[in-house]
Amino acid sequence: MSPSPVSRHTGSHHHTHEPIAALPGGRSEPSAGGDIDTYMFLPRLLPAHRLLAGGSLLLLLPCRNRIALRPAAVAAAMSSSSSSAAAAPPAPARRGTLRGVVFDMDGTLTVPVIDFPAMYREVLGGEAAYAAARAAGGGAVDILHCIDSWGPDEQRRAYEAIARFERDGLDRLQIMPGASELCRFLDARKIRRGLITRNVKEAVDLFHQRFGMTFVPALSREFRPYKPDPAPMLHICSSWKLPPNEVIMVGDSLKDDIVCGKRAGAFTCLLDETGRYGPHDSLPEDVKPDFLVSSLPEVLSVLEKHFDLAPVFAAGL
C-alpha cells in the first residue's frame, strides 16, 4: 500500500471557508506542474493547518475549517491575475515544517500481541456484554472509559484482568519492522520523538529497556486524561515548546490515535498493516487521517515527501 494523503475524498464538511495562505515556516518549494485530479479538504478542529496534495502539487492551507476545493477552484486560486491567453504556471507550493513525531506504542512501535477481544469479554462479563458495548460504541470499545464509570470494587477487578493480559503481552513484546530505522532517521535529523500509549508505565519502561530506544516524553495511561483526549498530545507539544502544527501523530487506532492528534491540531498518520479500516476515502470525516500507510517505512517516505524536517536547534530549543 502506498501512502495515502488526505486529498482523496470528495464530501465537504460543515465548517466555513477561510482564505488560502501559505503556512509560516515552510522552506523548500517543490516544482509545480501536472493536473490537480482530486478534491481536497481541511480537517476540522484545526487551529492552524492541514496538508493537501493533488497531482504533483502540494498545498498548505492554514484554515481552522474543512472545505472541499474542486480542481478548477484550486487552479484559479493559484493562477496569475494576468488576462493574457497564455496563463502563468501555478505558484510553487510550500511544504509544512515538521519538528516532532509522536507515536502510539502497541500496534505501532510494537507488533500487536494482546488479544483485546478476549480481554474485553473478560472485563465486561461475557460475550453479550461485549457485544452490547461494541454496539454502543459504533463497533469499537473504549474499555478504559467504561471502567471509569464503575464502582471501586468493579474497577479493581477490571484493572487486574487488564494487567494480566498486558503482562502476558510483555513476555511476547516484539519491535515493529521499520521502527528502529525510522527512529534513526529522526535522530539523524534531530527531529523529536515522543510516545503516547494507553498501556501502563511498566510496559513503556520495558519497551525502552528491551529495544534500546527512548521516547521523551513517554506518556502511559497513568497520565490523565488519556487518548483520544488531546491532552497528552498538547502536553508533549508544550514540553517541546512546539506548536501542534509542527508535530505529527502516528498510530494504528482511528478512535484513539488519530482523534487525539486531530483534536490537538497536529498532522495525523494512520498505520493500517492489514487494511482493516478499508480505503482512505471510506473513512468517516471526523477520524480521517492526513496520511494512511501500511508500514513504518512508508511513514519515513511520507515525512521526506511532504515536510521540511526542521532540526530542533533551528527553533532555538
Side-chain angles (χ1 to χ4, degrees):
M1 178 188 299
S2 60
S4 302
V6 74
S7 60
R8 297 184 181 175
H9 41 90
T10 59
S12 62
H13 202 273
H14 63 275
H15 288 287
T16 56
H17 177 234
E18 292 184 5
I20 298 175
L23 179 70
R27 287 178 176 75
S28 61
E29 300 179 349
S31 61
D35 295 330
I36 300 177
D37 56 3
T38 55
Y39 293 164
M40 303 175 219
F41 291 73
L42 295 176
R44 68 185 185 87
L45 296 168
L46 298 180
H49 72 281
R50 191 52 77 210
L51 182 65
L52 306 174
S56 61
L57 297 179
L58 183 69
L59 302 179
L60 287 172
L61 284 76
C63 307
R64 294 178 182 272
N65 310 311
R66 173 177 293 179
I67 181 169
L69 298 180
R70 295 186 178 272
V74 175
M78 298 180 61
S79 65
S80 169
S81 59
S82 172
S83 59
S84 63
R94 292 180 179 266
R95 288 156 43 111
T97 297
L98 194 76
R99 292 190 169 95
V101 181
V102 178
F103 294 90
D104 168 55
M105 189 174 77
D106 298 303
T108 301
L109 293 173
T110 63
V111 176
V113 293
I114 298 176
D115 187 345
F116 285 103
M119 176 198 292
Y120 297 160
R121 290 186 189 96
E122 179 170 337
V123 170
L124 294 171
E127 183 63 41
Y130 174 49
R134 281 176 54 86
V141 176
D142 188 336
I143 194 67
L144 298 181
H145 180 74
C146 292
I147 295 172
D148 281 344
S149 64
W150 296 354
D153 291 341
E154 291 177 302
Q155 286 188 355
R156 182 168 55 254
R157 178 192 60 80
Y159 282 122
E160 287 174 354
I162 291 174
R164 186 173 67 256
F165 276 90
E166 290 174 338
R167 282 194 302 270
D168 292 343
L170 292 179
D171 294 337
R172 295 173 287 139
L173 195 64
Q174 301 177 51
I175 193 74
M176 184 70 79
S180 297
E181 293 80 3
L182 179 55
C183 288
R184 286 197 294 268
F185 170 84
L186 296 174
D187 292 346
R189 286 155 180 77
K190 301 187 183 300
I191 302 299
R192 293 185 177 233
R193 49 186 172 87
L195 184 149
I196 303 173
T197 179
R198 286 159 59 105
N199 209 322
V200 293
K201 184 178 183 299
E202 178 186 1
V204 175
D205 292 342
L206 179 62
F207 170 78
H208 284 161
Q209 178 183 0
R210 182 172 295 180
F211 301 115
M213 55 180 72
T214 302
F215 294 77
V216 180
L219 304 181
S220 59
R221 71 163 171 259
E222 287 81 4
F223 181 95
R224 299 294 185 96
Y226 34 67
K227 300 180 295 186
D229 193 284
M233 173 64 85
L234 293 174
H235 175 85
I236 289 179
C237 291
S238 176
S239 70
W240 286 346
K241 297 182 174 61
L242 296 179
N245 63 358
E246 293 183 358
V247 177
I248 189 169
M249 177 74 200
V250 180
D252 69 319
S253 170
L254 282 178
K255 69 180 181 66
D256 293 331
D257 305 319
I258 301 308
V259 171
C260 173
K262 288 169 71 72
R263 288 178 177 175
F267 287 100
T268 54
C269 181
L270 176 67
L271 174 62
D272 185 8
E273 285 193 295
T274 63
R276 62 177 174 143
Y277 288 114
H280 187 265
D281 291 350
S282 69
L283 298 177
E285 295 297 319
D286 59 341
V287 296
K288 187 170 289 186
D290 297 302
F291 303 99
L292 174 63
V293 299
S294 60
S295 69
L296 287 183
E298 290 181 30
V299 175
L300 192 155
S301 299
V302 164
L303 300 183
E304 287 191 307
K305 180 178 180 180
H306 296 292
F307 295 98
D308 286 327
L309 303 177
V312 293
F313 60 74
L317 298 176

